[in-house]
Amino acid sequence: MDIVILAVVIAVVVLGALGGLIVGSRRKKQLPPPPPAAPDITAPPAEPHVGDEAETPREEPRRTIEEVDLPDGSAPVVVEEPPAEAPEIEIPEPTAGRLVRLRARLSRSQNALGKGLLTLLSREHLDEDTWEEIEDTLLTADVGVQPTQELVERLRERVKVLGTRTPDELRTLLREELVTLVGRDMDRTVRTEPEDRKPGIVLVVGVNGTGKTTTTGKLARVLVADGQSVVLGAADTFRAAAADQLQTWGERVGAYTVRGPEGGDPASVAFDAVKEGKEMGANVVLIDTAGRLHTKTGLMDELGKVKRVVEKQAPVDEVLLVLDATTGQNGLVQARVFAEVVDITGIVLTKLDGTAKGGIVVAVQRELGVPVKLVGLGEGADDLAPFEPEAFVDALIGE
């Protein structure tokens, strides 16, 4: 028993000693260092300055918002903008004799017809084969079958009566017959000045791609050059930027342009243009219509509507059909359909200086019974000329 008690006492003593050692070792461990004291914050050095500002900045007295004078808002702030520059008004060249001045340009593409005929007629013996060649030359130049037959018959008779033929005599003979064929006595005046009222109203029609809007702008220049005031109606509301294009043409010569929203009713724009022309006292209103395929019945009916709406205010004095002279006989098909819808009164042939053949002038006049009144001879602003039969034939047969 005593031994057990002794063992328990020894165990308690040992445990006590071990506990003391553990506590002593913990006390000997170093505690973490205390957090460093907050650093002193000093103002950054002043930014360096140059010259008079090199001194150290000094504190300036500051004013509160109550002490600052603020605008009371009674006077609006006006921001001056630079004045917009008005477009410079151009002075178109006179139309009198314009086709004569452009003869060289016209003759470049037409000489093949005149020179070919003169060469054939200059042969010593004019047999049937030669006359067939003359017919082929005329047909190739888009003169048309009936006019070609008439011209060949007249040439046969006159050559037989003439007998011997000098180059000058042949040239004179051919010139006279061609002028007769083209039509010397047709009235080619663009009717823009009705006697009983103002303004004169001109409707410009045609298929897509013939240069209709450009022709309308050039015609405005022709009329302004002749001393007339012009209002333009941008009734081509379907082609993007057509109204902008027409307005640009008008601004160059001081013509006012009436336009509507893109895709709007063209008849409404045409109506407003005539109304505006009356109020402004303009001499002429030119209405540019949308290009349309002659095979589209709905579009052609709409063109008829434009004309009817305009005539609620005043009669249309001139309906000009713009044809691309390079399309040849296909242009005659277009002309027939347009003539049925809007009663064409005159033809404008564009691109006559390119690959066009001069005979189209004769063919289209015969087809419609209306004269060619204007021809386009290039891309220049003043390359639209009143048609003059004598000057045109002189360009055909050359010098």
Side-chain angles (χ1 to χ4, degrees):
M1 187 69 179
D2 294 335
I3 297 172
V4 172
I5 295 172
L6 178 63
V8 170
V9 172
I10 293 171
V12 170
V13 171
V14 170
L15 290 174
L18 289 174
L21 290 173
I22 292 172
V23 172
S25 63
R26 287 183 177 178
R27 287 179 178 176
K28 290 180 180 178
K29 288 184 179 180
Q30 293 182 352
L31 296 176
D40 295 334
I41 299 176
T42 59
E47 296 182 359
H49 295 276
V50 178
D52 295 336
E53 297 183 352
E55 60 181 334
T56 304
R58 294 172 297 180
E59 291 189 4
E60 298 287 343
R62 298 183 179 182
R63 295 182 293 172
T64 63
I65 191 171
E66 290 81 6
E67 298 173 333
V68 177
D69 295 329
L70 299 176
D72 57 6
S74 59
V77 178
V78 179
V79 179
E80 294 186 1
E81 297 182 358
E85 295 183 3
E88 183 179 352
I89 303 299
E90 300 178 10
I91 302 176
E93 68 174 87
T95 58
R98 185 180 286 189
L99 186 59
V100 176
R101 295 194 296 274
L102 298 173
R103 182 188 302 173
R105 184 176 302 167
L106 177 61
S107 63
R108 281 200 294 269
S109 61
Q110 309 301 329
N111 269 347
L113 171 61
K115 287 184 177 180
L117 292 176
L118 284 174
T119 300
L120 291 171
L121 290 171
S122 300
R123 291 180 180 177
E124 186 174 353
H125 299 289
L126 296 179
D127 54 15
E128 288 302 318
D129 290 339
T130 302
W131 288 112
E132 287 183 6
E133 288 185 54
I134 292 174
E135 285 189 3
D136 291 341
T137 301
L138 291 168
L139 291 173
T140 304
D142 289 332
V143 172
V145 176
Q146 186 64 31
T148 293
Q149 292 175 348
E150 294 176 8
L151 178 58
V152 169
E153 286 302 318
R154 289 201 301 269
L155 288 174
R156 276 176 176 264
E157 293 177 4
R158 295 195 62 178
V159 167
K160 186 182 296 184
V161 172
L162 190 62
T164 58
R165 307 176 304 278
T166 65
D168 289 341
E169 289 173 335
L170 281 175
R171 184 180 297 278
T172 300
L173 181 152
L174 184 59
R175 183 182 188 277
E176 291 175 356
E177 291 301 330
L178 286 175
V179 169
T180 301
L181 190 66
V182 170
R184 182 186 312 212
D185 300 328
M186 301 183 78
D187 181 12
R188 303 181 188 278
T189 305
V190 179
R191 295 193 294 270
T192 57
E193 299 180 88
E195 297 180 357
D196 56 340
R197 60 180 167 79
K198 287 173 63 175
I201 302 172
V202 179
L203 197 63
V204 184
V205 302
V207 301
N208 296 302
T210 57
K212 189 169 38 54
T213 300
T214 299
T215 297
T216 305
K218 290 182 178 182
L219 179 55
R221 294 179 66 88
V222 170
L223 296 173
V224 169
D226 290 340
Q228 301 190 52
S229 56
V230 178
V231 169
L232 298 172
D236 183 354
T237 59
F238 298 113
R239 184 170 64 86
D244 293 337
Q245 181 184 359
L246 188 64
Q247 184 170 350
T248 299
W249 277 102
E251 289 175 348
R252 292 176 180 175
V253 292
Y256 180 71
T257 302
V258 176
R259 54 189 295 177
E262 187 173 335
D265 182 14
S268 175
V269 176
F271 183 89
D272 291 341
V274 176
K275 181 181 178 182
E276 191 71 26
K278 285 182 175 181
E279 294 175 354
M280 295 176 63
N283 297 111
V284 188
V285 175
L286 297 179
I287 301 173
D288 175 37
T289 61
R292 56 201 74 232
L293 293 175
H294 58 288
T295 55
K296 299 294 184 181
T297 305
L299 293 176
M300 296 304 293
D301 291 342
E302 183 183 72
L303 181 61
K305 174 190 172 185
V306 171
K307 186 171 184 286
R308 291 192 301 272
V309 168
V310 168
E311 288 180 331
K312 290 181 179 180
Q313 295 201 73
V316 174
D317 300 286
E318 192 83 65
V319 180
L320 296 176
L321 173 63
V322 181
L323 290 177
D324 183 340
T326 63
T327 59
Q329 296 296 314
N330 185 48
L332 302 183
V333 179
Q334 302 169 8
R336 280 195 292 269
V337 179
F338 276 91
E340 292 171 0
V341 176
V342 286
D343 298 325
I344 303 299
T345 60
I347 304 294
V348 182
L349 281 177
T350 62
K351 307 178 186 178
L352 198 57
D353 64 325
T355 60
K357 303 177 179 71
I360 190 65
V361 173
V362 177
V364 73
Q365 289 183 155
R366 288 294 186 92
E367 182 67 33
L368 297 184
V370 297
V372 172
K373 295 190 172 184
L374 297 161
V375 289
L377 301 172
E379 299 297 327
D382 292 318
D383 287 343
L384 185 72
F387 184 73
E388 302 167 15
E390 290 83 359
F392 177 73
V393 171
D394 287 339
L396 287 182
I397 62 177
E399 298 298 335

